C-alpha cells in the first residue's frame, strides 16, 4: 500500500521540483519515514520478533474499523434531496473529522524535531523537508480517508450509476489536500506568533481546545439532526451563502457530471475553485511558510542549557503527590509507581493531549443532557429527578478513568524504562498498582466527588447507593480491562502510529459498549437491598482482581508486552 | 580470595546467532575490570545478563556467593548500573528522578534526599536540581544517571561508556571517583571504547570478541613487554586484516568511483 501511494505521490515530481524541492531527496526521506512508521520499536531487553502477520492483521482491523465509521457519512446522502446538498453535507462532515484527526493525531509528525541531527545538517533544502512532512502526513491521511469514504462511495454509485462512482474519488483528493493545508496554515501562523520554546505547549493546548470545539459542535448539532423531515424539505436556495464555503466548491464538482441539477448560480465556476484552491494553498505554504517553519522548528528543543523558567517548585515533603503516595501505598515499589505516574501525567504533552479533552467531553455530555430535555430551567431539576439519568452520568465518568489508565503506559521515552528492569523489583505489579491508584485519585476521584455532589442535590440521598455501586463497578471494570489487556509498566511502551492503533481503538470501543451495558443493567435494578448486595460483590471482585494485578510477575508482563 | 562475580560457561543465543559463547570470568572485590571489545562483541549482552535484564541464558553467574538466577533481587540490590545512552524520564527534575529510582531500591526518603543533594552538588548540578531535564545537555543527563546508579551505595558498579558526553573536567572527576570507589572496596565493571582511559583505570582488562573472551589480564600482562599501547593490542587481537590497509581502501572507495564527484 505504501509503495503504491509513494509512487502516486511522486508522479507530479515536476510540480515538487518547481516548488523548490529536490525530488530524489524527497523520495528518499518519504521512503525511510514510511518504513520507520511500519516498524515496531523494541522495548527493554527484547529482540525483534518476526511478526509481519500481526502487523498486517492490525492494519486490516484498522481498515474494517474505518469502514464501519464510514457508515456515518452516508447520512447526508440519504436525508437530502438535492445532490449538491448531499455532497455539501458529506464533505463538511469529512472535513471536520479529517481536520480533527489531523490536529490530534498527526501534529507530532508535523512538528517532529528528531530530524534535527539527521536531516537538518545534510544538504537538504527547507522546502524539501517541509514538503516531505506534508506528503508524509498526506499518505497516512489518504489511507484513512479511503476506507472511511468507501461506504459513501458505494451509496453514491448506487444512486448515480457508474459515472457517479467514477467521479467520486476526485473531489475527495482535493478535500484531503484542503484540510491538510488548512491545518498547516494554522500551525505556520502559530509558529509565527509564538516563541519556539513555547510552540509545543501552544500546539498541545490548541489540540485540546480544537478537540473540545469539534466535540461540542457535534453534540450541539446532533439533537437537530433527529428530525429527518426538516432535511427532506430543505431548499438549497434558502442557504445560498454556502457557495462561499470550500466544501460547497468541492460539491460543485458534480457539475462536471450533472450540470442541470445545479440550482445555485455559478456552480460550474465554483468547481474550478475546488481544483485550484488546494494547489494555491500548497504553493503559498511551501513558498512563504516553509523556510520560517523549518527555521523555527530547528529552534524548538534547541536550548541545550537549562532554562530557569522550567524550574519546578520544591517544597520538600509537603508536596501533595508525595504525601498521597505515602498515604495510599505501603511498599516502596508502589510509592515509586504512584509518583512516576503522577508526575509524568502532569508533564507529558502527549498524555495531556489524549486524556484532557475527555474531561471536557463529560461536561459537554452533561450540558447536552440539559439542552435535550426541552424543559424550562426552573423545572429542570424537578424533571430530572423524576428520571434516572444520574446513572448515565455516573457511568460516563468511567471514560475519564479508562482514558487515563490506558494512556499512562505510552511514551516516546519508553527506553527510559530500563530502570525498572535493573531495579530489585520482585514483581512489577506493585509499580503498576501504585500507578493505577495515582490515576484513580488524580483524575477519577475529583470527578466522582463533583458528580456525587450534583446527584445528591438533584436526586437526594437515596441515590447514594447508586453512586457507590457505580463507582465500585467502574473501578472494578477498568481494573479488569487493565488486568486482561493492558498490563504494562507506567511510561514503558512506545507510542504507535495511527494505522497500527486500530486494535487499540477497537478495544476502547468495546470497553465503552460493555460499560454502557453495565449501566443499563444497573438501570434495571430497583431494589435497594439488591444494590447493596451487588456493591459488596463488586468490591469483593475488585479485591480479587486487584490482588492479581499487583502481583503481576515479570513473566506475565513479558507476555503482555509481546501481545502489544 | 573469593571472586565477587563468577561467570561460568555463560552462553546467550538470539535465534541461530550466538552472542555470548561460553564466557568464563572471575572478578574480585575492589577490582576495576575494563571490559572492552569491538561493536557487537557481546559487551552489552554480558551487562544485560549481570543486571538481570536478560534472564534466558545458559551457564551460571554467581554474584557475592549468590546465584543470579535464584537470587535475582539480592543481586540487583548489590549492583549500580549506569547505561550507555542517557535514557531517562526527562520531564522530571533530577530531584524527582532520583527520588523515583531511590524508591525503586527501597531507600528511605531522607537518605535519598541527603545523598542526592551531596552527589548533584559534587557534579556541579546543585542549581539544576529542580529543573526539568528535557533542557539538559547530554553530559548533564549522564551526571544524573551516574548519581542514580550510585545512590543506593552498591557494592558493584557497572558502567557502560560512562564518559560519553562529559566535558574534560567531568571526565577527570569520574576517573577520580572510580579510584575512590575502588578504595572503598567496590568492584567496578567498566565497559568502554576509550582505550586510554581503560588502560589507565583498570586493574584487569578483559577483551571480548564475537562472544568469546580472547584476552584477560592486567595491562602489563597483555602487553607482555612488547611496549604496545592498549589500542594497538586491541586492534591486533580483534582485526584479522591490517587496519592501515582498511583505512586505505576506505579512502580510495570515495575516489575510485568514476560517477562520484568531489563535493
Amino acid at each position: 500500500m505504501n509503495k503504491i501511494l509513494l509512487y502516486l505521490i511522486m508522479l507530479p515530481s515536476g510540480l515538487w521540483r518547481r516548488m523548490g524541492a529536490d525530488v530524489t531527496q524527497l523520495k528518499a526521506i518519504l521512503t525511510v519515514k514510511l518504513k520507520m512508521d511500519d516498524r515496531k520499536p523494541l522495548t527493554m531487553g527484547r529482540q525483534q520478533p518476526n511478526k509481519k502477520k500481526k502487523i498486517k492483521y492490525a492494519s486490516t482491523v484498522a481498515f474494517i474499523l474505518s469502514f464501519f465509521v464510514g457508515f456515518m457519512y452516508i447520512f447526508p446522502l440519504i436525508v437530502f434531496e438535492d445532490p449538491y446538498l448531499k455532497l455539501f453535507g458529506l464533505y463538511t462532515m469529512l472535513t471536520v473529522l479529517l481536520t480533527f484527526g489531523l490536529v490530534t493525531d498527526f501534529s507530532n509528525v508535523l512538528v517532529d524535531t528528531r530530524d534535527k541531527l539527521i536531516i537538518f545538517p545534510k544538504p537538504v533544502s527547507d522546502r524539501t523537508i517541509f514538503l516531505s512532512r506534508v506528503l508524509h502526513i498526506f499518505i497516512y491521511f489518504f489511507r484513512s480517508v479511503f476506507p472511511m469514504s468507501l461506504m459513501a462511495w458505494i451509496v453514491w454509485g448506487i444512486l448515480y450509476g457508474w459515472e457517479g462512482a467514477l467521479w467520486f474519488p476526485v473531489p475527495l483528493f482535493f478535500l484531503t489536500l484542503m484540510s491538510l493545508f488548512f491545518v498547516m496554515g494554522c500551525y505556520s501562523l502559530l509558529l509565527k506568533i509564538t516563541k519556539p520554546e513555547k510552540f509545543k505547549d501552544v500546539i498541545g493546548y490548541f489540540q485540546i481546545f480544537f478537540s473540545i470545539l469539534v466535540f461540542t459542535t457535534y453534540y450541539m448539532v446532533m439533537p437537530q439532526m433527529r428530525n429527518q423531515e426538516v432535511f427532506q424539505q430543505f431548499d438549497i436556495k434558502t442557504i445560498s451563502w454556502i457557495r462561499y464555503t470550500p466544501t460547497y466548491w468541492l460539491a460543485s464538482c458534480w457539475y462536471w457530471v450533472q450540470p442541470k441539477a445545479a440550482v445555485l448560480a455559478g456552480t460550474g465556476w465554483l468547481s474550478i475553485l475546488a481544483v485550484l484552491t488546494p494547489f494555491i494553498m500548497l504553493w503559498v505554504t511551501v513558498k512563504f511558510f516553509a523556510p520560517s517553519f523549518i527555521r523555527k522548528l530547528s529552534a524548538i528543543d534547541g536550548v541545550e542549557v537549562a532554562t530557569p523558567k522550567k524550574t519546578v517548585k520544591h517544597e520538600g515533603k509537603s508536596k501533595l503527590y508525595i504525601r498521597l503516595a505515602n498515604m495510599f501505598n505501603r511498599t516502596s515499589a508502589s510509592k515509586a509507581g504512584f509518583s512516576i505516574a503522577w508526575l509524568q501525567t502532569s508533564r507529558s504533552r502527549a498524555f495531556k493531549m489524549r486524556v484532557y479533552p475527555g474531561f471536557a467531553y463529560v461536561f459537554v455530555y452533561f450540558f447536552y443532557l440539559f439542552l435535550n430535555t426541552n424543559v424550562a430551567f426552573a423545572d429542570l431539576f424537578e424533571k430530572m429527578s423524576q428520571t434516572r439519568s444520574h446513572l448515565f452520568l455516573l457511568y460516563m465518568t468511567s471514560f475519564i478513568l479508562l482514558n487515563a489508565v490506558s494512556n499512562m503506559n505510552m511514551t516516546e521515552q519508553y527506553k527510559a524504562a530500563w530502570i525498572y528492569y535493573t531495579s530489585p523489583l520482585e514483581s512489577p505489579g506493585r509499580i503498576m498498582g501504585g500507578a493505577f491508584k495515582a490515576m484513580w485519585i488524580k483524575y477519577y476521584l475529583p470527578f466522582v466527588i463533583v458528580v456525587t455532589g450534583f446527584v445528591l442535590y438533584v436526586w437526594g440521598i437515596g441515590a447514594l447507593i447508586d453512586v457507590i455501586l457505580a463507582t465500585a463497578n467502574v473501578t472494578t471494570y477498568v481494573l479488569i480491562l487493565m488486568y486482561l489487556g493492558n498490563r504494562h509498566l507506567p511510561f514503558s511502551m512506545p507510542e504507535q502510529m495511527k494505522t497500527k492503533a486500530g486494535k487499540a481503538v477497537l478495544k476502547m470501543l468495546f470497553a465503552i459498549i460493555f460499560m454502557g451495558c453495565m449501566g443499563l443493567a444497573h438501570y434495571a435494578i430497583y431494589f435497594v437491598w439488591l444494590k447493596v448486595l451487588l456493591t459488596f460483590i463488586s468490591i469483593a471482585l475488585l479485591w480479587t482482581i486487584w490482588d492479581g494485578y499487583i502481583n503481576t510477575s515479570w513473566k506475565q508482563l513479558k507476555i503482555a508486552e509481546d501481545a502489544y | 580470595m573469593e571472586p565477587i562475580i563468577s561467570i561460568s560457561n555463560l552462553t546467550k543465543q538470539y535465534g541461530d546467532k550466538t552472542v555470548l559463547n561460553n564466557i568464563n570470568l572471575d572478578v574480585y572485590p575492589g577490582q576495576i575490570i575494563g571490559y572492552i571489545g569491538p561493536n557487537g562483541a557481546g559487551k552489552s549482552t554480558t551487562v544485560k545478563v549481570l543486571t538481570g535484564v536478560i534472564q534466558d541464558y545458559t551457564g551460571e553467574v554467581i554474584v557475592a556467593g549468590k546465584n543470579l538466577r535464584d537470587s535475582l533481587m539480592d543481586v540487583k540490590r548489590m549492583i549500580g548500573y549506569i547505561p550507555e545512552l542517557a535514557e531517562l524520564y526527562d520531564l522530571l527534575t533530577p530531584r524527582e528522578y532520583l527520588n523515583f529510582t531511590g524508591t525503586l531500591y527501597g531507600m528511605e526518603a531522607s537518605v535519598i534526599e541527603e545523598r542526592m543533594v551531596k552527589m548533584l552538588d559534587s557534579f556541579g548540578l546543585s542549581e539544576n536540581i529542580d529543573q526539568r531535564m528535557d533542557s539538559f545537555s547530554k553530559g548533564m543527563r549522564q551526571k544524573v544517571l551516574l548519581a542514580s546508579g550510585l545512590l543506593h551505595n552498591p557494592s558493584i558498579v557497572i558502567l557502560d561508556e560512562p564518559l560519553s558526553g562529559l566535558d574534560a573536567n567531568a571526565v577527570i572527576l569520574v576517573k577520580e571517583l572510580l579510584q575512590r570507589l575502588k578504595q572503598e572496596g567496590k568492584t567496578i565493571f567498566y565497559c568502554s571504547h576509550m582505550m586510554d582511559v581503560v588502560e589507565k583505570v583498570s586493574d584487569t582488562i578483559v577483551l571480548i570478541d564475537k562472544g568469546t573472551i580472547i584476552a584477560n589480564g592486567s595491562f602489563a600482562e597483555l602487553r607482555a613487554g612488547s611496549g604496545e599501547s592498549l589500542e594497538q593490542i586491541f586492534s591486533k587481537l580483534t582485526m584479522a586484516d591490517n587496519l592501515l590497509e582498511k583505512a586505505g581502501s576506505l579512502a580510495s572507495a570515495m575516489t575510485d568511483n568514476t560517477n562520484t564527484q568531489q563535493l
Side-chain angles (χ1 to χ4, degrees):
Chain A
M1 185 79 168
N2 275 349
K3 275 185 185 169
I4 301 165
L5 280 170
L6 190 65
Y7 173 77
L8 290 173
I9 277 291
M10 293 316 291
L11 273 183
S13 52
L15 180 71
W16 310 142
R17 199 174 287 119
R18 204 166 281 229
M19 284 180 172
D22 183 309
V23 175
T24 320
Q25 287 177 338
L26 187 67
K27 192 176 176 186
I29 296 171
L30 281 174
T31 312
V32 165
K33 293 266 172 187
L34 291 173
K35 209 174 270 175
M36 283 197 303
D37 292 340
D38 271 351
R39 291 190 184 163
K40 184 181 168 185
L42 278 182
T43 45
M44 191 69 190
R46 290 196 304 128
Q47 277 290 101
Q48 178 73 58
N50 193 7
K51 280 194 175 173
K52 257 195 160 172
K53 274 184 188 168
K54 212 153 192 190
I55 289 168
K56 269 186 190 165
Y57 166 74
S59 305
T60 316
V61 171
F63 186 91
I64 293 167
L65 195 71
S66 299
F67 179 75
F68 282 107
V69 169
F71 270 95
M72 191 169 76
Y73 299 110
I74 60 174
F75 179 77
L77 302 188
I78 296 165
V79 295
F80 289 118
E81 286 289 305
D82 185 296
Y84 288 89
L85 210 52
K86 281 177 197 276
L87 289 168
F88 171 73
L90 170 72
Y91 294 151
T92 308
M93 276 174 87
L94 270 174
T95 307
V96 170
L97 280 146
L98 281 185
T99 315
F100 177 65
L102 186 56
V103 168
T104 52
D105 293 322
F106 293 102
S107 296
N108 289 340
V109 181
L110 195 63
V111 292
D112 186 5
T113 49
R114 283 174 298 182
D115 285 345
K116 228 166 43 177
L117 297 172
I118 304 154
I119 297 178
F120 287 18
K122 308 266 187 306
V124 183
S125 74
D126 291 349
R127 283 180 189 153
T128 309
I129 298 174
F130 187 77
L131 210 56
S132 75
R133 297 223 167 163
V134 175
L135 296 176
H136 181 199
I137 299 170
F138 178 78
I139 290 173
Y140 268 98
F141 218 39
F142 201 73
R143 231 161 55 165
S144 59
V145 171
F146 176 67
M148 239 159 52
S149 55
L150 199 61
M151 203 58 224
W153 194 349
I154 293 167
V155 171
W156 197 254
I158 294 167
L159 289 173
Y160 298 98
W162 66 270
E163 280 174 316
L166 216 62
W167 167 89
F168 195 82
V170 181
L172 271 185
F173 176 74
F174 299 133
L175 180 141
T176 316
L177 282 175
M178 270 193 209
S179 311
L180 186 59
F181 295 123
F182 170 70
V183 176
M184 296 287 299
C186 287
Y187 276 10
S188 302
L189 211 67
L190 274 181
L191 256 183
K192 267 198 184 306
I193 56 174
T194 52
K195 284 182 185 167
E197 62 270 23
K198 284 262 164 209
F199 182 65
K200 279 195 170 179
D201 288 325
V202 174
I203 287 269
Y205 291 117
F206 175 70
Q207 288 173 330
I208 293 169
F209 166 77
F210 193 80
S211 314
I212 295 167
L213 185 79
V214 170
F215 191 81
T216 314
T217 318
Y218 191 71
Y219 272 93
M220 294 301 139
V221 174
M222 272 294 267
Q224 323 292 329
M225 283 188 155
R226 287 191 190 160
N227 199 347
Q228 277 210 21
E229 284 175 23
V230 177
F231 286 99
Q232 271 150 9
Q233 289 160 11
F234 219 75
D235 187 358
I236 198 164
K237 278 182 188 161
T238 58
I239 47 160
S240 59
W241 53 265
I242 63 167
R243 75 176 91 177
Y244 302 111
T245 61
T247 41
Y248 184 76
W249 304 345
L250 289 164
S252 65
C253 293
W254 184 239
Y255 190 83
W256 307 337
V257 182
Q258 240 188 359
K260 283 177 188 166
V263 179
L264 293 181
T267 299
W269 291 107
L270 288 174
S271 70
I272 298 172
L273 270 182
V275 182
L276 289 181
T277 309
F279 292 101
I280 294 169
M281 285 166 98
L282 173 69
W283 187 77
V284 170
T285 43
V286 173
K287 207 81 182 168
F288 299 106
F289 289 137
S292 69
F293 190 83
I294 299 300
R295 219 175 20 249
K296 288 253 188 170
L297 217 53
S298 318
I300 298 174
D301 299 341
V303 206
E304 284 273 288
V305 188
T307 44
K309 282 175 195 167
K310 282 185 178 171
T311 300
V312 175
K313 262 194 217 164
H314 176 71
E315 292 148 17
K317 280 186 173 176
S318 63
K319 281 202 144 191
L320 179 68
Y321 81 90
I322 297 178
R323 275 186 284 148
L324 289 172
N326 289 331
M327 201 187 297
F328 291 101
N329 300 284
R330 275 182 298 170
T331 63
S332 309
S334 55
K335 278 179 198 171
F338 189 98
S339 307
I340 188 93
W342 189 287
L343 290 170
Q344 283 277 113
T345 52
S346 300
R347 314 242 172 99
S348 161
R349 206 178 284 114
F351 179 86
K352 285 185 201 169
M353 180 49 231
R354 281 191 295 255
V355 177
Y356 284 17
F359 302 160
Y361 296 168
V362 176
F363 279 116
V364 171
Y365 256 123
F366 198 65
F367 285 109
Y368 170 69
L369 274 179
F370 279 82
L371 287 176
N372 214 19
T373 47
N374 289 326
V375 179
F377 192 75
D379 307 323
L380 194 64
F381 287 173
E382 177 67 34
K383 182 92 181 164
M384 275 180 117
S385 66
Q386 286 160 16
T387 68
R388 301 179 71 207
S389 54
H390 64 297
L391 291 177
F392 181 69
L393 206 59
L394 288 169
Y395 281 90
M396 262 293 296
T397 53
S398 66
F399 184 65
I400 304 282
L401 184 63
L402 191 62
N403 214 9
V405 293
S406 52
N407 278 303
M408 73 172 175
N409 302 325
M410 285 182 286
T411 178
E412 273 182 13
Q413 291 177 325
Y414 61 93
K415 283 183 182 167
W418 63 268
I419 188 74
Y420 297 120
Y421 297 83
T422 58
S423 305
L425 292 169
E426 288 286 354
S427 71
R430 300 275 165 187
I431 297 259
M432 288 154 53
F436 187 91
K437 278 186 215 166
M439 294 300 96
W440 197 90
I441 292 166
K442 190 177 178 189
Y443 295 111
Y444 183 58
L445 189 62
F447 260 86
V448 170
I449 292 170
V450 173
V451 169
T452 304
F454 179 75
V455 167
L456 293 185
Y457 177 72
V458 178
W459 282 270
I461 194 77
L464 190 64
I465 185 65
D466 287 325
V467 172
I468 299 170
L469 177 58
T471 309
N473 278 348
V474 165
T475 312
T476 309
Y477 178 64
V478 173
L479 189 67
I480 290 173
L481 288 180
M482 293 299 282
Y483 182 80
L484 294 177
N486 212 351
R487 273 205 262 189
H488 304 301
L489 286 160
F491 295 93
S492 66
M493 302 305 289
E495 288 172 359
Q496 295 197 335
M497 278 303 288
K498 175 89 175 158
T499 44
K500 286 191 208 161
K503 211 162 76 177
V505 177
L506 209 63
K507 264 190 201 171
M508 194 74 166
L509 201 72
F510 279 120
I512 291 167
I513 291 170
F514 277 117
M515 182 64 77
C517 294
M518 202 186 279
L520 278 177
H522 188 158
Y523 191 85
I525 302 166
Y526 276 89
F527 307 109
V528 174
W529 65 266
L530 189 56
K531 286 180 189 174
V532 174
L533 181 71
L534 286 171
T535 305
F536 278 112
I537 293 173
S538 186
I539 291 172
L541 189 62
L542 176 66
W543 190 265
T544 316
I545 304 287
W546 179 254
D547 195 54
Y549 188 65
I550 61 167
N551 285 310
T552 299
S553 65
W554 285 108
K555 203 175 167 188
Q556 288 167 315
L557 188 83
K558 194 176 178 300
I559 294 168
E561 277 179 2
D562 288 339
Y564 180 67
Chain B
M1 202 190 331
E2 283 287 304
I4 190 158
I5 302 172
S6 178
I7 300 173
S8 29
N9 306 322
L10 177 63
T11 301
K12 169 71 193 160
Q13 285 183 312
Y14 286 123
D16 300 335
K17 198 183 171 199
T18 305
V19 189
L20 292 178
N21 187 13
N22 214 23
I23 299 276
N24 289 289
L25 179 67
D26 283 339
V27 181
Y28 292 92
Q31 262 194 333
I32 299 181
I33 295 283
Y35 200 60
I36 57 173
N39 295 328
K43 295 192 300 290
S44 290
T45 310
T46 315
V47 168
K48 280 180 181 165
V49 170
L50 282 175
T51 51
V53 173
I54 293 175
Q55 290 167 34
D56 54 341
Y57 56 86
T58 55
E60 204 158 66
V61 180
I62 308 288
V63 180
K66 291 184 174 176
N67 192 316
L68 181 65
R69 234 189 284 269
D70 306 330
S71 315
L72 187 63
M73 292 307 127
D74 291 337
V75 172
K76 280 186 176 185
R77 263 179 221 113
M78 281 182 243
I79 292 176
Y81 172 53
I82 294 116
E84 181 185 4
L85 297 162
E87 298 284 358
L88 36 70
Y89 291 116
D90 64 10
L91 292 175
L92 305 183
T93 67
R95 189 194 294 275
E96 289 164 349
Y97 184 74
L98 294 176
N99 252 316
F100 165 64
T101 56
T103 315
L104 287 179
Y105 281 88
M107 292 169 69
E108 288 289 325
S110 55
V111 180
I112 299 174
E113 180 70 20
E114 194 191 325
R115 287 188 192 169
M116 146 174 66
V117 170
K118 278 186 196 162
M119 281 178 165
L120 293 178
D121 188 39
S122 308
F123 279 125
L125 289 178
S126 53
E127 279 181 20
N128 310 95
I129 195 164
D130 290 317
Q131 285 171 352
R132 275 164 56 165
M133 295 186 283
D134 50 356
S135 55
F136 279 20
S137 67
K138 196 182 169 201
M140 287 162 90
R141 289 165 193 237
Q142 193 64 28
K143 287 175 187 175
V144 176
L145 279 177
L146 276 163
S148 95
L150 299 172
L151 196 67
H152 60 289
N153 193 18
S155 49
I156 300 162
V157 182
I158 299 176
L159 303 114
D160 204 348
E161 290 289 358
L163 304 180
S164 87
L166 294 185
D167 60 33
N169 288 336
V171 168
I172 296 168
L173 180 75
V174 173
K175 281 203 271 187
E176 192 52 41
L177 177 71
L178 292 179
Q179 294 305 327
R180 296 286 286 272
L181 292 172
K182 184 189 161 180
Q183 281 166 19
E184 285 176 23
K186 295 191 191 305
T187 310
I188 292 154
F189 202 90
Y190 186 97
C191 299
S192 181
H193 287 293
M194 295 165 90
M195 298 298 160
D196 51 338
V197 182
V198 174
E199 185 182 311
K200 280 183 192 124
V201 302
S202 309
D203 301 316
T204 303
I205 295 165
V206 176
L207 181 50
I208 180 172
D209 190 24
K210 298 184 183 89
T212 309
I213 292 176
I214 52 170
N216 182 359
S218 67
F219 178 50
E221 284 166 357
L222 293 187
R223 192 154 59 163
S226 68
E228 287 173 315
S229 68
L230 184 59
E231 202 170 69
Q232 286 164 324
I233 299 166
F234 178 89
S235 59
K236 209 164 76 183
L237 289 173
T238 55
M239 289 287 281
D241 305 315
N242 193 331
L243 266 182
L244 290 175
E245 233 170 65
K246 292 228 168 189
S249 60
L250 259 174
S252 63
M254 287 178 278
T255 47
D256 279 356
N257 194 335
T258 46
N259 294 326
T260 314
Q261 311 140 3
Q262 181 147 9
L263 296 169

